Amino acid sequence: MEGKSMIPVNELARGYNLYREEYEEKAVSVLRSGWYVLGKEVEAFEQEYADALGGDCYCAGVDNGLNAIRLGLHACGIGPGDEVIVQSNGYIATMLGVTQNGGIPVFVEPDRYHNLDPDKIEAAITDKTKAVLVTHLYGQATRMDKVVEICKKHNLMLFEDCAQSHFSSYKGTNTGLFGDAGFFSFYPTKNLGCFGDGGGIVSRNKALIDKIKTLRNYGSDYKYHNIVLGFNSRLDELQAGLLRVKLSHMPELLANRRHIAEAYLKGIKNPLVELPLLAEDVVPVWYLFVVRVEEQAKFREFLLQNDVQTDVHFPTPPHMQPALAYLGHHEGSFPIAENYCKTVVSLPMMDYLSDEEIDKVIRVVNSYEG
């Protein structure tokens, strides 16, 4: 057995402690300002995030990642009966953004990189298909060339769920900038995470972002004047301010995760453990480090007994969730996604791990004998 100090799969306080004084100074500054919703911090974050993504784009801050998808699809006209192609693995929030607009999620299996398989998209297109919504899972961008080509060919809108892929790029373009809009979560566990709920929508289309900014605030273009039926879905000043602090440190935070991932990739040599595959022309940001093993529960228990915590992202494919049973799918409908859910394991990955902790994870994984 290894030593008694448990290595967590993620520990949010580590990220906070890296820049504690800056976070606390910003929090006190916002509290003392007396302005807490849709003020200068939100405006500054929106501009700084758009600039950091490196494209000619615009950003609207909202209250969470699900509502980023919900408002973005709503603003683009996705409505009752519209089919939106999504991948069959991942988290249910992607699908909820479709269903809450009355749309129908149409599942397509993932590729060997755990992202939407571009070669399977066209077979899922019908006369009701309005859009493709890719999810850049685990911090690795989807191979977007063919996705973009298919959407243009069939006159489909293209959306990106970037909740796990802040600053991951494909052929030099950051996720969120390939299609009509990119949807981001700033949930605390994310690479760019705040200290509560938060989300954002990015687009090169300024008119769309302006529309979303109206929708997020009761459909109001100015105070007490409501031009559309809107929502209450605003990013607050405190979270925006804290996000600005973290955004300013993203280069070193991403470097920290890259250091961990590169050590894992180099050091883990257990034939029972399949390492993540990296697609050509993709720069990953390692939101998660996901391996695959045949005996998921046994592997996790072995690591836990040796003081290494793990997780499973995600144990149940969306089409098998009771909430989506009305779509008529069942076990066996999407076998690739189902197999992934039974075999994926997330190793410790966070804003900071010491070299000693990294070495311990590698040593324990390599000692697993099935």
Side-chain angles (χ1 to χ4, degrees):
M1 301 286 284
E2 285 279 343
K4 295 184 178 181
S5 179
M6 181 70 69
I7 300 175
V9 68
N10 193 359
E11 188 174 47
L12 297 177
R14 295 190 184 201
Y16 161 70
N17 284 324
L18 288 174
Y19 313 110
R20 179 173 57 188
E21 291 184 2
E22 292 180 62
Y23 286 130
E24 293 178 357
E25 181 181 349
K26 175 60 74 173
V28 171
S29 172
V30 173
L31 292 173
R32 288 176 174 171
S33 76
W35 193 294
Y36 307 126
V37 177
L38 292 185
K40 65 179 183 179
E41 295 291 344
V42 170
E43 290 180 2
F45 171 72
E46 289 170 338
Q47 185 61 58
E48 289 164 7
Y49 191 47
D51 290 344
L53 287 172
D56 181 17
C57 65
Y58 307 89
C59 175
V62 294
D63 55 344
N64 58 66
L66 170 56
N67 279 341
I69 302 173
R70 180 187 180 194
L71 266 67
L73 297 185
H74 178 85
C76 289
I78 297 297
D82 290 341
E83 293 181 352
V84 178
I85 291 174
V86 296
Q87 62 199 64
S88 56
N89 60 324
Y91 190 52
I92 196 172
T94 311
M95 296 78 205
L96 293 177
V98 177
T99 62
Q100 288 178 7
N101 282 296
I104 302 169
V106 174
F107 295 108
V108 166
E109 290 273 55
D111 59 17
R112 59 190 182 134
Y113 309 106
H114 297 266
N115 284 324
L116 183 68
D117 190 337
D119 295 328
K120 294 185 172 71
I121 293 174
E122 286 194 285
I125 295 174
T126 73
D127 58 1
K128 294 181 181 179
T129 307
K130 293 296 190 296
V132 174
L133 171 54
V134 303
T135 301
H136 306 288
L137 207 61
Y138 305 151
Q140 181 173 185
T142 304
R143 297 173 293 149
M144 293 301 294
D145 284 349
K146 189 169 184 178
V147 182
V148 171
E149 177 186 320
I150 290 170
C151 288
K152 288 181 178 177
K153 175 182 175 182
H154 294 275
N155 195 30
L156 303 176
M157 289 180 284
L158 173 57
F159 302 108
E160 301 169 69
D161 180 348
C162 308
Q164 302 183 11
S165 67
H166 312 71
F167 300 106
S168 178
S169 63
Y170 176 69
K171 293 188 175 179
T173 298
N174 280 316
T175 59
L177 300 178
F178 287 94
D180 294 271
F183 311 129
F184 292 85
S185 168
F186 303 127
Y187 187 73
T189 61
K190 308 303 184 184
N191 290 28
L192 179 57
C194 52
F195 292 78
D197 275 313
I201 303 164
V202 167
S203 178
R204 298 184 192 274
N205 183 342
K206 185 178 185 299
L208 174 61
I209 293 299
D210 288 343
K211 183 176 182 179
I212 290 166
K213 288 181 177 180
T214 296
L215 284 168
R216 74 182 176 187
N217 190 30
Y218 299 103
S220 175
D221 56 347
Y222 60 88
K223 192 172 184 179
Y224 301 137
H225 186 257
N226 306 84
I227 57 175
V228 293
L229 299 173
F231 306 86
N232 178 10
S233 186
R234 302 169 298 205
L235 178 65
D236 70 72
E237 284 286 280
L238 182 60
Q239 299 303 340
L242 295 171
L243 282 167
R244 291 181 67 198
V245 174
K246 190 163 190 179
L247 180 61
S248 72
H249 293 289
M250 282 308 293
E252 55 258 46
L253 289 169
L254 292 176
N256 287 352
R257 288 177 180 261
R258 187 166 59 249
H259 173 71
I260 299 166
E262 289 175 351
Y264 286 168
L265 290 170
K266 182 179 179 181
I268 295 174
K269 300 183 183 300
N270 189 330
L272 299 177
V273 179
E274 180 183 307
L275 293 169
L277 299 173
L278 301 180
E280 188 177 355
D281 298 315
V282 167
V283 177
V285 291
W286 302 110
Y287 169 61
L288 300 171
F289 191 94
V290 178
V291 300
R292 294 182 63 205
V293 292
E294 287 301 317
E295 297 184 85
Q296 186 186 70
K298 186 175 183 180
F299 177 70
R300 295 190 66 204
E301 179 61 24
F302 175 82
L303 266 64
L304 188 63
Q305 289 298 317
N306 285 277
D307 304 311
V308 176
Q309 190 182 62
T310 62
D311 205 344
V312 175
H313 297 86
F314 301 93
T316 303
H319 69 276
M320 291 176 61
Q321 292 286 4
L324 295 178
Y326 71 93
L327 294 173
H329 303 302
H330 51 79
E331 186 173 0
S333 293
F334 300 97
I336 297 176
E338 292 166 28
N339 178 259
Y340 282 176
C341 288
K342 293 174 182 176
T343 58
V344 295
V345 176
S346 300
L347 299 183
M349 175 59 73
M350 62 195 84
D351 287 336
Y352 176 78
L353 278 173
S354 70
D355 286 340
E356 291 76 16
E357 289 173 317
I358 296 169
D359 290 342
K360 179 176 176 179
V361 173
I362 294 169
R363 187 166 62 250
V364 171
V365 170
N366 283 338
S367 66
Y368 172 69
E369 296 179 349

